[in-house]
Amino acid sequence: MPLPVPLLAVALVAPPAAAGPVDYARDIRPILANACFKCHGPAVQKAKLRLDTRAGATKAGVVVPGKPDDSPLITRICAADDDGRMPPPEAADRLNAGQVAQLRAWIARGAEYPPHWAFIPVRRPVVPEIRNPKSEIRNDIDRFILARLEREGLSPSPPADRSTLLRRVTLDLTGLLPTPPEVADFLADRSPDAYEKAVDRLLASPHYGERQARHWLDLARYADSNGYTIDGPRSIWPYRDWVIQALNADLPFDRFTVEQLAGDLLPDATRDQRVATGFHRNTSFNEEGGTDPEQFRVERTVDRANTTAAVWLGLTAGCAQCHDHKYDPLSQKDYYRLYAFFDNCDEPTLPLGGDPDLEAKIADLQRRTVESRLAGNDAETKRLEAEVTKASKGVPTTLVMRERKEPRATFVHLRGDFLRHGDGVRPGFPSTLASPAVATAGRLTRLDLANWLVSPDNPLTARVAVNREWQKFVGRGLVETENDFGIQGSLPTHPELLDWLAAEFHTDWSFKRLHRLIVTSATYRQASAVRPDLRARDPRNLLLGRQARLRLDAEVIRDAALSASGLLNPKVGGPGVFPPQPKEVFAFTQSQRTWTESTGPDRYRRGMYTYVWRQSQHPLLTTFDAADAQTACTRRNRSNTPLQALHLANDPVFVELAAGLGKRIEAQSALDDPGRVRWAFRTCLARDPSPAEAERLLAYLESQRRSDPLTAWAAVARVLLNLDEFITRE
Amino acid sequence: MTPDDALTLARTRRHFFRDCRVGVGAIALGSLLNRDARAAEQAPPPRAARRDPLAPKPPHFPAKAKAVIYLFMAGAPSQLELFEPKPELNKLHGQKVPETFTQGKRFAFIKGDAKLLGSGRKFAQHGQCGMPLSELLPHHRAIVDDVCWLRGMKTDVFNHGPAKCFVNTGSPQFGRPSMGAWLTYGLGSESDQLPGFVVLQSGPRGPRGGAALYGCGFLPSHYQGVPFLKGPSPVLDLAPPPGYDARRQGEFTAAVNDLNRLRHAATGDPETEARIAAYETAYRMQSAAPELTDLSKETKETLELYGAEPGKPGFAANCLLARRLVERGVRFVQLYHTDWDHHGGALDLGKPLETICREIDRPCAALVQDLKRRGLLDSTLVVWGGEFGRTPMGEKRETTGRDHHVDAYTMWLAGGGVKPGLVYGETDEIGYNVTENPVHVHDLQATILHQLGLDHTRLTYRFQGRDYRLTDVHGTVVRDILA
């Protein structure tokens, strides 16, 4: 029988416990938003009343600061008769006594509407003291987490098994499994800083940059094709490799930002800095005949504005494309000021090496190709496409941004329709986020935008960035709505920790130092097992009284299976590759493309190098919730479906990898059956099997020997690659 | 499901296992569960208890229909050759379009000086409703009074890919959840052996837009459309690897799940239970899906009605498959048939149009008749149409055709609580604009959800700080056409 429901109802919720004085954002705004804003809010103001601003509420006299008894707001919500009460019965339920008491207390204290937390500059908070001397504290992160747990009367979980911990941190930092010797070395190293040494080894691995780059490429909507219906191939993998190298070199996040948004505008821009501007060339590109090129140029520009706002500001700017943002202080004009930064770009192809005139030649051919395609001249288009291929033969190319000499005139698009021009606008920062001092006499450029994003007076960038990094290591951001730091977003579970991390990150913008800080904390190192007391009190694990068990990302599932099979080709970078996939899948798109299966070592490259064909992504990627490469993906889903089971169990790639692992197990000729089972467990799960697990797997081995002695170990390997634990980091 | 629900269910599940467990030895557990796997079809635990995210969910209000079959005529059929006789257009053939019609409009290919193009097709009125049908759709005469004809369709988007995306997902931008994904998200599916949302394709090529048309966007991937493949193994990776028969595959599933259960005992993570359920469903799907696609069990009479042959893929077989899917509790069946893009040139309004009409006419009519005689039409909403219509003006390539037209075109609905034998909507004398009872794509989407018991303004999903829905901020249920 399930436990009675009321027990669940007392479970903890996201905001801090309602202790202390009433807080507008935490206590009052949710009440008003649910009960009042629909008719008296940003969008609609019935009776000319809006309650979402102090001016609106007090001007109308509905709220009299300091005097709850004289405030019609209170009398109306307490009206005895349903006819007169607010909110009216058809709109919402009557407010309960607790809510009324909170509103009274808030008005009594002056009915303040303090500014939204995320728009206030970051101030480094004081690290809290921890009372319990037995608490395990490895760095200041733990003090923030423990302080909150202590307040709730909860205790953290003990450290994870050392082998679990090594598998966890290896997967999180490099996306690969630890090898059995790495596990053995780690278990044998009893020095107090054994774990820190392992972390440093992983941070220095070239595979660190690969794993972290794949997270960033989700934001960059990276793909190897143009998208829309024609979905032709494109060459932009040098941008992908730039990201890997930048993260391996620990390029500080401010430089990382500036080079991607405006590398071409830096004085004496290097080739790498130009390659970095590929970030905003990852937009889809419509090649369909009969399209209006301006319409799709506008769509790419809109995507660039929206992506920039989502990735650096954690704001849903897209809402303001058609109208002033309903919740956040972003007017439609603000939106088109942001848009204007990107409205002034050409989109050239950069050859990496070769003849110095090649860039101009390719540009000319590409211009003619586009014109021919739009005119519906198929034969000429084909001929020109072949010429482009010929011209760039042997020389890798990549897509970059370039500022136009003559700026385009930018206008507000009325209702988001690019054909309906409103007022003219110039590039500018959102007015409520930037101090007026940053406005200059000259025209602002993408470089100014990038510099402003990482400047100390920007309240959002560092918070948004550290929140996403935190999410990588515990599965959820401190702000759960990692893509919305606006007023509608959720409040941070640990606001002080978020600001402390943001302040730390801001000192040197080093990803590696931030990651080291997180993964060496006791918080990160806890066991992930679900504890009964936590399950009852904090079912969503918001307070982090334990680590999280997280299903691996699509590419990492492949990488883990490749690691276990011994077939992994560890090569870093280079053009996309074509691991096997069922033919019928790829034959599905409109324009037939060829998927020439990679042979030799390229068949066994890491998942992140699989050619990303936007409209027909490899089934591994779609089945396991990879980013769709259409818009910036700030967090992947983690679904759990029968199609995933079919894929792992039956897909020829995984069957091949299981066979590879089977051969490796058999090759352990010095070991008996139980020894081999133990070896296979260590290889896949970095731990020894329990007696029950070993017994079950040996029984399965026997049954498979009866079916086919030659493939019995491959069958055992296949079971291991299909375990929930195999595709999970615990 | 909220995490709280998940945990409640996890408790149920744990007790289920505790009560069932007879011994602690792994082998005893294994053999019990082995038997369990074989007997899974007889007595599976309730789907909700298995944390199946596709377990049926109650609608917002009582539903008229349980399932949708969407016959997507990809490329956009010409309403002027099929449903819209326009004597005035024929009279004006060869003349310039009066500017009052084209001012401020944009087209994909034709330029401002396009000439009107009369239709050479013969029309006659049919049935009690008197709907005119052209000679190209003789089988449709049999269902003319079962169908609700929407002659005032309008859309916003005039290129194929974005327009298909608009009809399927409510937005011309790629990356939003499709209608089938929204419906399975809102209602789950009654089948636990087949995907809740199935995609069937026929014609010379896939629909422009590809997988984005039936994707799940930002919804979890449980809800994405599963494209069925041609051949005996309709779902990707359905067939066990070489050397594995059903018994050996059963042993595999049992071993995986026994080990998963042992790990679950150590970690207590509800996700592991969901994984166990997924392997059980996948195991069942491996026998259910081939049975489903085996049309040889259908009677000769039924096969003839559709014009289908076992083992021969195509639109007729897909229509019959759609009925079989709906019979087995699948929520949303999306068919695409290409290619209706009759601009002239290789695809014109002569032979190529006649061929594709022959391909679809009989199976469409058969599907409606077959559902009706089996008592399934009341609970199944059939939708027929393209991503837009075609212009009254001709487009001259090597031969003549028509360009994309967003302002007026025809679709039809049948069953699912929609008025049968209703001709709804009128266009002007040349078929350029809707003059009466327009139905916008968002209205159609709102209406489809309504018939399934869902309020399109309440079926939302929070993403990037905003509650998204199929109809964006638009759409009105077309109450006039509801039975």
Side-chain angles (χ1 to χ4, degrees), chain A residues 119 280 301-342 412-413 415-416 428-433 449 452-453 460 464 482-489 631-632 634, chain B residues 173 176 463-466 468:
Chain A
F119 302 156
H280 269 322
T301 312
V302 162
D303 180 44
R304 286 169 188 145
N306 294 354
T307 299
T308 305
V311 170
W312 279 273
L313 300 174
L315 290 179
T316 57
C319 297
Q321 191 189 336
C322 305
H323 50 72
D324 291 348
H325 201 295
K326 280 192 185 161
Y327 300 103
D328 293 332
L330 192 69
S331 68
Q332 197 186 9
K333 229 173 198 167
D334 277 332
Y335 179 83
Y336 285 96
R337 288 190 192 111
L338 176 64
Y339 171 99
F341 282 109
F342 301 102
V412 169
H413 300 163
R415 302 226 28 103
F429 311 129
S431 39
T432 48
L433 293 176
L449 174 66
W452 172 71
L453 287 172
L460 285 164
V464 170
E482 81 297 330
N483 53 15
D484 188 3
F485 275 55
I487 287 163
Q488 290 289 94
T631 51
T634 52
Chain B
Q173 245 95 57
R176 299 274 170 83
F463 174 66
Q464 293 184 343
R466 211 191 119 186
Y468 279 86

Side-chain angles (χ1 to χ4, degrees), chain B residues 18-234:
Chain B
R18 194 192 59 197
D19 299 343
C20 287
R21 212 168 277 178
V22 290
V24 287
I27 300 297
L29 173 66
S31 61
L32 170 71
L33 293 163
N34 237 326
R35 202 173 63 226
D36 213 30
R38 280 195 298 277
E41 276 144 286
Q42 288 151 31
R47 290 176 68 195
R50 281 186 273 129
R51 294 202 61 225
D52 181 346
L54 286 176
K57 289 173 228 172
H60 295 150
F61 43 80
K64 293 276 193 260
K66 290 197 312 200
V68 177
I69 298 175
Y70 199 123
L71 308 171
F72 203 117
M73 300 295 123
S78 168
Q79 74 284 6
L80 295 164
E81 267 63 36
L82 302 181
F83 308 110
E84 284 260 80
K86 291 288 170 191
E88 191 63 21
L89 176 65
N90 293 351
K91 236 184 273 170
L92 294 171
H93 176 80
Q95 298 191 23
K96 267 188 71 175
V97 198
E99 260 188 32
T100 47
F101 286 102
T102 54
Q103 225 162 26
K105 306 277 186 187
R106 294 190 300 149
F107 297 94
F109 292 100
I110 58 178
K111 306 285 178 271
D113 58 350
K115 309 277 195 304
L116 289 170
L117 177 70
S119 173
R121 299 297 169 184
K122 293 193 185 64
F123 285 81
Q125 294 189 323
H126 295 281
Q128 301 209 325
C129 66
M131 171 72 189
L133 288 173
S134 98
E135 59 193 357
L136 292 169
L137 298 175
H139 289 91
H140 274 62
R141 292 170 200 164
I143 57 166
V144 70
D145 285 328
D146 294 315
V147 163
C148 174
W149 304 91
L150 302 177
R151 293 205 297 191
M153 285 304 303
K154 290 168 81 71
T155 184
D156 292 350
V157 195
F158 69 91
N159 295 119
H160 291 289
K164 280 201 188 72
C165 206
F166 189 60
V167 175
N168 281 286
T169 74
S171 165
Q173 245 95 57
F174 285 61
R176 299 274 170 83
S178 53
M179 199 188 296
W182 279 115
L183 276 170
T184 44
Y185 160 69
L187 296 172
S189 171
E190 284 172 17
S191 173
D192 67 346
Q193 312 190 0
L194 293 167
F197 172 18
V198 171
V199 182
L200 304 170
Q201 307 201 34
S202 52
R205 65 181 190 187
R208 294 187 213 186
L213 302 183
Y214 45 85
C216 56
F218 38 73
L219 298 176
S221 65
H222 321 285
Y223 306 114
Q224 74 192 354
V226 175
F228 269 26
L229 311 169
K230 293 165 187 147
S233 186

Side-chain angles (χ1 to χ4, degrees), chain A residues 466-506:
Chain A
V466 293
N467 190 58
R468 264 195 317 259
E469 299 310 306
W470 184 262
Q471 176 180 279
K472 289 179 185 173
F473 297 100
V474 293
R476 179 191 292 116
L478 294 165
V479 175
E480 191 170 7
T481 53
E482 81 297 330
N483 53 15
D484 188 3
F485 275 55
I487 287 163
Q488 290 289 94
S490 35
L491 292 171
T493 51
H494 300 77
E496 296 85 9
L497 175 57
L498 180 74
D499 278 9
W500 184 84
L501 286 168
E504 274 294 306
F505 191 43
H506 212 299

Side-chain angles (χ1 to χ4, degrees), chain A residues 564-565 657-681 683-684 697 701 705 712-718 720:
Chain A
S565 73
L657 299 182
L661 174 58
K663 280 208 188 86
R664 285 183 87 196
I665 303 173
E666 274 184 296
Q668 309 303 313
S669 48
L671 301 175
D672 58 4
D673 284 352
R676 286 178 180 182
V677 162
R678 196 161 49 245
W679 185 90
F681 249 75
T683 301
C684 293
L697 211 47
L701 173 69
R705 278 182 173 146
W713 281 110
V716 168
R718 179 168 172 246
L720 287 168

